[in-house]
């Protein structure tokens, strides 16, 4: 057996071992929540419900969440449903539905984690054959990237990161048609899942075009494969995964506008490969690439105008009251120092290590990794979620830096490992600058298990509740909810805020309009918001309950029934 195959088997074994050991530890630590399907994030809970709806008979192409608002066309796709659904259907005959769901939400993120670690190791070996295993260890503790692979995280972020790492591995490989096609196909697949990683794929595409412009050997084959792979992947995605909401007028997921934009960009490398086939001059090649690229952007602006602002349809009211306060969507300016330091720490250490690597070993692959990391930093400055990718992509250069430090002795090795250990950054932030203590969740919060259980005992009806209650309530009760943390539910979310923080005299009319049967309220639901003095939130907080609301869970007074 040759050395390369042995290395692959070794890397696979280490990746699986790391992922399952950490996954087991995380599962044991959070087993009380996992076993009750109290998943880490609202999106994970809603993803599970989408899978249940599909397995329960809802059409493959119908992604509407009928128990949210007036029926919300979700901006997701079935691609991320496939893994959990396969595990559930396979295990259900042996374990029963509930245990099968627990197995699926536990195992699926761990499998993705193993795939991500393996890909990081393989990417690192292209830069330094001896640093692959160290890179996998660094990636395994690369906070905040690790948070999207903990058991229960079945949302699409982990899957998208694995696809991007796979595309990066192909992009730093030999400039062949095959590697170009793999990069393009993975870009299309990632778009079918969601828009989040498109900036990184844009960097990979630009790097391929730049390599062609510099007249690198076989650069033409790679960009030809890039275009063919992207268009082929898009064709398969449209044929197999376009939903009934395909023509939704937005560019916030796999919509017609988003797919059109990527298809137009995919034509650029094909046109360049044809027009520049016999051109040798680097300047002329760069001019051709720049002209076609800018022309494609102009066409996209005409054909897919919504792609200029994926969340442009969210009203200013909802941006101010809700979207700007979503944790991973916060910018570095709005996040607390502790959160920002935890998210940016190892990512910036990785950027510094990559810059050091580029200076020490100049080469296309190191420069490409640095460009991807800088893209992650730029995204994270606007939305912290960019740090997931940046932390993971920093592992190769950090591992190579540790290898260099090891040769210099313990005095350099220890600091190198400290800088590379992503999990230390949020701990250090909390130790040296503790964040204000928040009250721990208790039975008084509207999303707590007792509160959801109290709702579950009531006859089905429409519920007016704060925005984060809906995913938990939809997954664990038979009720429908007016508001939920999804930007396409504009009408329901606006109605909820007007109900609670607008004038109480308007609340009954809003409840009647939405056929509300139950109202859920907790005192901490609108912290940081200034409701109107005569608002429903103020009235309920002061225990001045309107005559048309009947308390159902006294003395908690969290759930009320609308009196006809």
């Amino acid at each position: 057996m040759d050395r390369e195959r042995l290395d692959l088997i070794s890397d696979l074994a280490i990746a699986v071992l790391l992922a399952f050991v950490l996954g087991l530890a995380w599962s044991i630590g959070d087993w009380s929540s996992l076993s009750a399907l109290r998943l880490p994030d609202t999106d994970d809970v809603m993803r599970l419900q989408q899978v249940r709806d599909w397995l329960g008979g809802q059409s493959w192409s119908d992604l509407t969440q009928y128990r949210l608002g007036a029926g919300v066309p979700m901006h997701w796709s079935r691609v991320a449903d496939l893994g959990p659904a396969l595990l559930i259907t396979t295990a259900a005959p042996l374990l029963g539905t509930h245990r099968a769901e627990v197995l699926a939400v536990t195992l699926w993120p761990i499998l993705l984690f193993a795939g991500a670690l393996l890909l990081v190791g393989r990417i690192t070996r292209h830069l330094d054959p001896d640093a692959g295993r160290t890179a996998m260890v660094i990636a395994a503790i690369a906070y905040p990237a690790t948070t999207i692979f903990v058991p229960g995280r079945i949302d699409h972020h982990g899957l998208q990161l694995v696809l991007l790492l796979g595309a990066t591995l192909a992009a730093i490989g030999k400039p062949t048609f095959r590697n170009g096609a793999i990069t393009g196909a993975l870009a299309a697949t990632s778009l079918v899942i969601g828009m989040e990683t498109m900036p990184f794929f844009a960097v990979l595409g630009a790097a391929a075009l730049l390599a062609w412009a510099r007249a690198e050997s076989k650069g033409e084959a790679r960009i030809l494969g890039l275009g063919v792979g992207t268009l082929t992947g898009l064709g398969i995605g449209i044929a197999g995964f376009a939903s009934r909401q395909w023509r939704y007028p937005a560019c916030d997921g796999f919509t017609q506008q988003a797919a059109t934009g990527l298809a137009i960009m995919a034509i650029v490398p094909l046109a360049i490969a044809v027009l520049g086939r016999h051109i040798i001059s680097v300047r002329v090649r760069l001019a051709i690439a720049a002209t076609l690229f800018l022309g494609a952007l102009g066409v996209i602006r005409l054909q897919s105008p919504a792609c200029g602002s994926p969340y442009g349809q969210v009203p200013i009211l909802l941006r101010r009251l809700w979207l700007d306060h979503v944790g991973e969507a916060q910018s570095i300016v709005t996040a607390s120092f502790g959160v920002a330091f935890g998210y940016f720490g190892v990512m910036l250490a990785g950027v510094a290590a990559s810059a050091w690597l580029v200076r020490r070993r100049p080469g296309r692959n190191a420069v490409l990794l640095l460009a991807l990391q800088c893209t992650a930093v730029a995204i994270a400055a606007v939305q912290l979620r960019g740090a997931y990718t940046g932390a993971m992509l920093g592992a190769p250069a950090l591992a190579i830096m540790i290898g260099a430090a090891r040769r210099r002795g313990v005095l350099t090795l220890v600091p190198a490992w400290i800088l590379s250990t992503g999990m230390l950054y949020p701990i250090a932030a909390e130790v040296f600058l503790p964040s204000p203590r928040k009250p721990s969740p208790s039975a008084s919060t509207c999303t707590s298990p007792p509160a959801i259980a109290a709702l579950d005992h009531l006859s089905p009806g429409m519920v007016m509740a704060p925005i984060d209650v809906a995913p938990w309530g939809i997954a664990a009760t038979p009720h429908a909810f007016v508001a939920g943390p999804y930007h396409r539910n504009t009408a329901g979310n606006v109605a909820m805020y007007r109900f609670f923080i607008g004038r109480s005299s308007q609340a009954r009319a809003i409840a009647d309009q939405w056929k509300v049967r139950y109202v859920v309220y907790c005192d901490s639901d609108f912290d940081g918001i200034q409701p109107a003095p005569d608002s429903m939130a103020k009235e309920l907080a002061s225990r001045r309950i309107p005559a048309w609301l009947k308390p159902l869970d006294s003395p908690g007074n969290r759930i009320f029934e609308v009196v006809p």
Side-chain angles (χ1 to χ4, degrees), residues 70-416:
V72 176
M74 300 295 287
H75 65 288
W76 298 342
S77 80
R78 290 291 184 206
V79 175
D81 293 347
L82 293 177
L86 177 61
L87 291 172
I88 290 171
T89 54
T90 302
L94 298 174
L95 303 178
T97 301
H98 177 78
R99 290 181 179 177
E101 289 180 347
V102 172
L103 174 67
V105 301
T106 303
L107 184 58
W108 179 241
I110 295 174
L111 292 174
L112 290 177
F113 194 29
L117 297 181
L118 174 62
L119 289 167
V120 167
R122 302 309 295 171
I123 290 169
T124 307
R125 285 190 181 276
H126 279 267
L127 301 169
D128 185 335
D130 297 325
R133 296 172 184 174
T134 302
M136 285 191 282
V137 173
I138 294 171
I141 52 177
Y143 181 92
T146 50
T147 64
I148 62 175
F149 294 110
V150 297
R153 288 306 312 264
I154 59 170
D155 191 22
H156 58 272
H157 295 302
L159 177 57
Q160 282 190 307
L161 182 50
V162 170
L163 294 175
L164 177 60
L165 291 171
T168 302
L169 179 60
I172 67 174
K174 295 179 180 179
T176 61
F177 178 90
R178 176 177 175 271
N179 280 334
I182 291 173
T183 302
L186 292 177
T189 305
S190 190
L191 177 69
V192 175
I193 297 170
M195 294 288 295
E196 291 88 345
T197 54
M198 284 299 102
F200 299 102
F201 282 101
V203 171
L204 295 179
L209 295 181
L210 184 60
W212 168 84
R214 294 177 59 193
E216 291 185 8
S217 174
K218 296 185 180 179
E220 184 178 289
R222 175 162 48 200
I223 63 171
L224 187 63
L226 181 65
V228 171
T230 303
L231 290 175
T232 302
L234 274 177
I236 295 172
I238 293 170
F241 294 93
S243 69
R244 293 181 184 176
Q245 297 81 26
W246 166 250
R247 289 184 171 81
Y248 188 87
C251 194
D252 57 355
F254 189 46
T255 63
Q256 186 178 39
Q257 288 202 39
T260 300
L262 184 59
I264 292 169
M265 291 305 301
I267 294 173
V268 173
L270 296 178
I272 288 175
V274 173
L275 296 176
R277 183 180 297 273
H278 302 296
I279 297 175
I280 299 176
S281 169
V282 174
R283 289 185 178 180
V284 175
R285 285 185 168 215
L286 284 172
I288 291 174
T291 301
L292 290 174
F293 177 77
L294 293 174
L297 287 180
V299 175
I300 290 172
R301 187 167 184 175
L302 293 174
Q303 297 294 320
S304 303
C307 291
S309 179
Y311 298 112
Q313 293 184 325
V314 179
I316 294 176
L317 173 69
L318 287 183
R319 287 174 181 269
R320 180 170 56 86
L321 294 176
W322 164 60
L323 195 57
D324 290 345
H325 302 282
V326 175
E328 65 181 18
Q330 289 186 12
S331 71
I332 190 174
V333 176
T334 57
S336 67
F337 173 80
V339 171
F341 188 78
Y343 269 69
F344 273 75
V346 80
M347 177 171 61
L348 293 180
V351 169
S354 289
W356 164 83
L357 183 62
V358 167
R359 186 172 181 180
R360 186 182 180 207
R361 305 180 190 175
R364 176 182 178 276
N365 292 343
V367 171
L368 178 56
L369 278 179
L370 179 58
L372 289 170
Q373 289 172 266
C374 290
T375 303
V377 172
I379 294 173
V382 180
Q383 289 196 339
L384 291 177
R385 72 183 79 195
Y388 301 148
T389 304
M392 195 67 81
L393 287 173
L398 288 169
I400 295 171
M401 179 191 71
I402 287 174
R406 185 180 296 114
R407 292 187 287 272
R408 293 180 139 217
V410 175
L411 291 179
T412 54
L413 180 60
V414 172

Side-chain angles (χ1 to χ4, degrees), residues 345-347 349-350 398 401 413-422 424-425:
V346 80
M347 177 171 61
L398 288 169
M401 179 191 71
L413 180 60
V414 172
W417 265 110
I418 291 174
L419 287 173
S420 304
T421 304
L424 291 180
Y425 289 89

